[in-house]
Amino acid sequence: MDSINDINKEILKCNRCSLCNYKTNYVPGDGNINSKILFIGEAPGRDEDIQGKPFVGKAGKILTENINHILNIDRKDVYITNLIKCRPPNNRKPTDEEIKACSIWLEKQINILKPDIIITLGSYSTSWIFNYFNIKFNSIMKDRGKVYKINYWNKEIKIIPTLHPASTIYNKEWRAIFDKDFYLIKDLINKNNTGILRYI
Ligand code: SF4
């Protein structure tokens, strides 16, 4: 079976959609491959495209702050990726065709990582993950801030949708909602007292 590094190397050669023609770098994902916690965003932005790493710009700063200060976890102990691995020009929203083309990589990644907790950031990754696990998606505002439990990979996994941190940059109310969802994630992690890393 392929490892996450094998998949990420394949992503670096991908030309399944035209976004590869506009990107500076592919952004496959980053973090601890033994983490039980997976964060999934939408697509790389400008800083991510330049550095080839997810969530390293302004939105990434907010995400990292919450991982560090609310969850009390080091960012390098979780795994972070996006639904789309190349930056859409001018940060436009990904098209259905691009999502269809690129989501095969996310599907491979989640089936290797087999996380216990999946946190989706924003409507695009939430809608895709809900569809993948047969959960009805309404809207990010309706569905966020709840724990969805499903049985998969012979275990119970939990999905928690929240806002995309980029949407909270200039909106204090949404930032408060984002923070509140992180306290829910914190409770969930604390209940699972087996740690956040899987040692194999
Ligand atoms: S966005 Fe995804 S499918 Fe499109 S070229 Fe990049 S890696 Fe491949």
Tab-separated table of all heavy atoms in Angstrom, residues 121-142:
chain	number	residue	atom	x	y	z
A	121	LEU	N	-12.617	22.801	7.229
A	121	LEU	CA	-12.548	24.261	7.358
A	121	LEU	C	-13.257	24.897	6.161
A	121	LEU	O	-12.721	24.923	5.051
A	121	LEU	CB	-11.077	24.695	7.394
A	121	LEU	CG	-10.231	24.049	8.507
A	121	LEU	CD1	-8.749	24.205	8.232
A	121	LEU	CD2	-10.594	24.628	9.871
A	122	GLY	N	-14.485	25.337	6.375
A	122	GLY	CA	-15.221	26.000	5.305
A	122	GLY	C	-16.162	25.066	4.550
A	122	GLY	O	-16.152	23.848	4.749
A	123	SER	N	-16.953	25.666	3.677
A	123	SER	CA	-18.036	24.903	3.044
A	123	SER	C	-17.530	23.898	2.014
A	123	SER	O	-18.115	22.823	1.858
A	123	SER	CB	-19.052	25.852	2.399
A	123	SER	OG	-18.434	26.591	1.401
A	124	TYR	N	-16.442	24.195	1.306
A	124	TYR	CA	-16.017	23.287	0.228
A	124	TYR	C	-15.543	21.940	0.764
A	124	TYR	O	-15.972	20.885	0.289
A	124	TYR	CB	-14.930	23.956	-0.634
A	124	TYR	CG	-15.517	24.925	-1.630
A	124	TYR	CD1	-15.958	26.182	-1.217
A	124	TYR	CD2	-15.667	24.590	-2.968
A	124	TYR	CE1	-16.517	27.076	-2.121
A	124	TYR	CE2	-16.233	25.474	-3.875
A	124	TYR	CZ	-16.652	26.716	-3.442
A	124	TYR	OH	-17.223	27.585	-4.335
A	125	SER	N	-14.652	21.986	1.764
A	125	SER	CA	-14.163	20.704	2.295
A	125	SER	C	-15.261	19.997	3.089
A	125	SER	O	-15.363	18.771	3.071
A	125	SER	CB	-12.907	20.894	3.143
A	125	SER	OG	-13.150	21.772	4.210
A	126	THR	N	-16.116	20.784	3.760
A	126	THR	CA	-17.201	20.156	4.533
A	126	THR	C	-18.178	19.448	3.590
A	126	THR	O	-18.537	18.281	3.813
A	126	THR	CB	-17.957	21.212	5.366
A	126	THR	OG1	-17.029	21.872	6.217
A	126	THR	CG2	-19.055	20.572	6.202
A	127	SER	N	-18.562	20.127	2.527
A	127	SER	CA	-19.500	19.537	1.579
A	127	SER	C	-18.916	18.253	0.974
A	127	SER	O	-19.597	17.235	0.849
A	127	SER	CB	-19.803	20.583	0.508
A	127	SER	OG	-20.295	20.009	-0.625
A	128	TRP	N	-17.623	18.294	0.627
A	128	TRP	CA	-17.007	17.106	0.013
A	128	TRP	C	-16.943	15.941	1.011
A	128	TRP	O	-17.312	14.811	0.692
A	128	TRP	CB	-15.599	17.430	-0.523
A	128	TRP	CG	-15.075	16.290	-1.343
A	128	TRP	CD1	-15.282	16.075	-2.682
A	128	TRP	CD2	-14.324	15.162	-0.862
A	128	TRP	NE1	-14.698	14.887	-3.056
A	128	TRP	CE2	-14.097	14.306	-1.966
A	128	TRP	CE3	-13.821	14.785	0.382
A	128	TRP	CZ2	-13.390	13.109	-1.859
A	128	TRP	CZ3	-13.128	13.587	0.493
A	128	TRP	CH2	-12.910	12.765	-0.621
A	129	ILE	N	-16.496	16.237	2.231
A	129	ILE	CA	-16.371	15.172	3.250
A	129	ILE	C	-17.757	14.614	3.607
A	129	ILE	O	-17.935	13.399	3.757
A	129	ILE	CB	-15.640	15.705	4.516
A	129	ILE	CG1	-14.136	15.750	4.265
A	129	ILE	CG2	-15.961	14.891	5.757
A	129	ILE	CD1	-13.422	14.391	4.261
A	130	PHE	N	-18.747	15.489	3.744
A	130	PHE	CA	-20.105	15.004	4.057
A	130	PHE	C	-20.591	14.078	2.942
A	130	PHE	O	-21.131	13.006	3.199
A	130	PHE	CB	-21.069	16.192	4.209
A	130	PHE	CG	-21.136	16.742	5.613
A	130	PHE	CD1	-20.053	16.688	6.461
A	130	PHE	CD2	-22.307	17.330	6.084
A	130	PHE	CE1	-20.115	17.201	7.757
A	130	PHE	CE2	-22.390	17.840	7.377
A	130	PHE	CZ	-21.290	17.777	8.213
A	131	ASN	N	-20.381	14.488	1.717
A	131	ASN	CA	-20.798	13.656	0.587
A	131	ASN	C	-20.050	12.313	0.617
A	131	ASN	O	-20.655	11.249	0.425
A	131	ASN	CB	-20.516	14.418	-0.714
A	131	ASN	CG	-21.053	13.672	-1.907
A	131	ASN	OD1	-22.199	13.233	-1.900
A	131	ASN	ND2	-20.234	13.502	-2.920
A	132	TYR	N	-18.768	12.352	0.917
A	132	TYR	CA	-17.955	11.122	0.935
A	132	TYR	C	-18.453	10.149	2.001
A	132	TYR	O	-18.494	8.946	1.784
A	132	TYR	CB	-16.478	11.491	1.187
A	132	TYR	CG	-15.547	10.321	1.034
A	132	TYR	CD1	-15.247	9.821	-0.227
A	132	TYR	CD2	-14.981	9.700	2.139
A	132	TYR	CE1	-14.402	8.726	-0.383
A	132	TYR	CE2	-14.129	8.617	1.998
A	132	TYR	CZ	-13.843	8.140	0.734
A	132	TYR	OH	-13.018	7.047	0.590
A	133	PHE	N	-18.851	10.691	3.156
A	133	PHE	CA	-19.292	9.817	4.255
A	133	PHE	C	-20.819	9.744	4.371
A	133	PHE	O	-21.342	9.319	5.410
A	133	PHE	CB	-18.694	10.299	5.581
A	133	PHE	CG	-17.204	10.061	5.691
A	133	PHE	CD1	-16.312	11.122	5.735
A	133	PHE	CD2	-16.692	8.772	5.734
A	133	PHE	CE1	-14.942	10.917	5.828
A	133	PHE	CE2	-15.314	8.550	5.830
A	133	PHE	CZ	-14.441	9.627	5.871
A	134	ASN	N	-21.502	10.147	3.289
A	134	ASN	CA	-22.975	10.053	3.257
A	134	ASN	C	-23.683	10.801	4.382
A	134	ASN	O	-24.580	10.278	5.033
A	134	ASN	CB	-23.419	8.583	3.306
A	134	ASN	CG	-23.236	7.924	1.973
A	134	ASN	OD1	-23.524	8.533	0.946
A	134	ASN	ND2	-22.725	6.713	1.993
A	135	ILE	N	-23.239	12.009	4.628
A	135	ILE	CA	-23.912	12.880	5.605
A	135	ILE	C	-24.545	14.013	4.789
A	135	ILE	O	-23.911	14.533	3.859
A	135	ILE	CB	-22.900	13.471	6.619
A	135	ILE	CG1	-22.138	12.357	7.338
A	135	ILE	CG2	-23.603	14.366	7.633
A	135	ILE	CD1	-20.911	12.861	8.114
A	136	LYS	N	-25.765	14.380	5.145
A	136	LYS	CA	-26.431	15.439	4.372
A	136	LYS	C	-25.790	16.804	4.676
A	136	LYS	O	-25.695	17.187	5.837
A	136	LYS	CB	-27.916	15.462	4.720
A	136	LYS	CG	-28.715	16.443	3.873
A	136	LYS	CD	-30.193	16.396	4.232
A	136	LYS	CE	-31.004	17.361	3.405
A	136	LYS	NZ	-30.686	18.741	3.553
A	137	PHE	N	-25.360	17.511	3.618
A	137	PHE	CA	-24.788	18.849	3.804
A	137	PHE	C	-25.873	19.897	3.562
A	137	PHE	O	-26.557	19.868	2.545
A	137	PHE	CB	-23.625	19.068	2.835
A	137	PHE	CG	-23.034	20.446	2.904
A	137	PHE	CD1	-22.245	20.827	3.986
A	137	PHE	CD2	-23.265	21.375	1.907
A	137	PHE	CE1	-21.706	22.104	4.077
A	137	PHE	CE2	-22.721	22.661	1.981
A	137	PHE	CZ	-21.939	23.019	3.063
A	138	ASN	N	-26.036	20.808	4.519
A	138	ASN	CA	-26.998	21.901	4.359
A	138	ASN	C	-26.262	23.180	3.974
A	138	ASN	O	-26.328	23.646	2.851
A	138	ASN	CB	-27.786	22.099	5.650
A	138	ASN	CG	-28.568	20.844	6.016
A	138	ASN	OD1	-29.490	20.479	5.312
A	138	ASN	ND2	-28.186	20.169	7.082
A	139	SER	N	-25.540	23.717	4.935
A	139	SER	CA	-24.674	24.880	4.679
A	139	SER	C	-23.663	24.883	5.807
A	139	SER	O	-23.886	24.278	6.864
A	139	SER	CB	-25.488	26.180	4.694
A	139	SER	OG	-25.870	26.468	6.023
A	140	ILE	N	-22.562	25.581	5.591
A	140	ILE	CA	-21.523	25.562	6.620
A	140	ILE	C	-22.051	26.172	7.919
A	140	ILE	O	-21.760	25.681	9.008
A	140	ILE	CB	-20.208	26.231	6.120
A	140	ILE	CG1	-19.094	26.057	7.157
A	140	ILE	CG2	-20.402	27.686	5.765
A	140	ILE	CD1	-18.682	24.640	7.433
A	141	MET	N	-22.871	27.221	7.825
A	141	MET	CA	-23.375	27.854	9.039
A	141	MET	C	-24.348	26.943	9.789
A	141	MET	O	-24.392	26.958	11.013
A	141	MET	CB	-24.039	29.181	8.690
A	141	MET	CG	-23.037	30.307	8.538
A	141	MET	SD	-21.950	30.423	9.995
A	141	MET	CE	-21.106	31.945	9.694
A	142	LYS	N	-25.122	26.161	9.056
A	142	LYS	CA	-26.062	25.236	9.702
A	142	LYS	C	-25.349	24.019	10.290
A	142	LYS	O	-25.716	23.506	11.343
A	142	LYS	CB	-27.074	24.742	8.655
A	142	LYS	CG	-28.476	25.277	8.848
A	142	LYS	CD	-29.416	24.564	7.931
A	142	LYS	CE	-30.807	25.100	8.193
A	142	LYS	NZ	-31.725	24.667	7.159
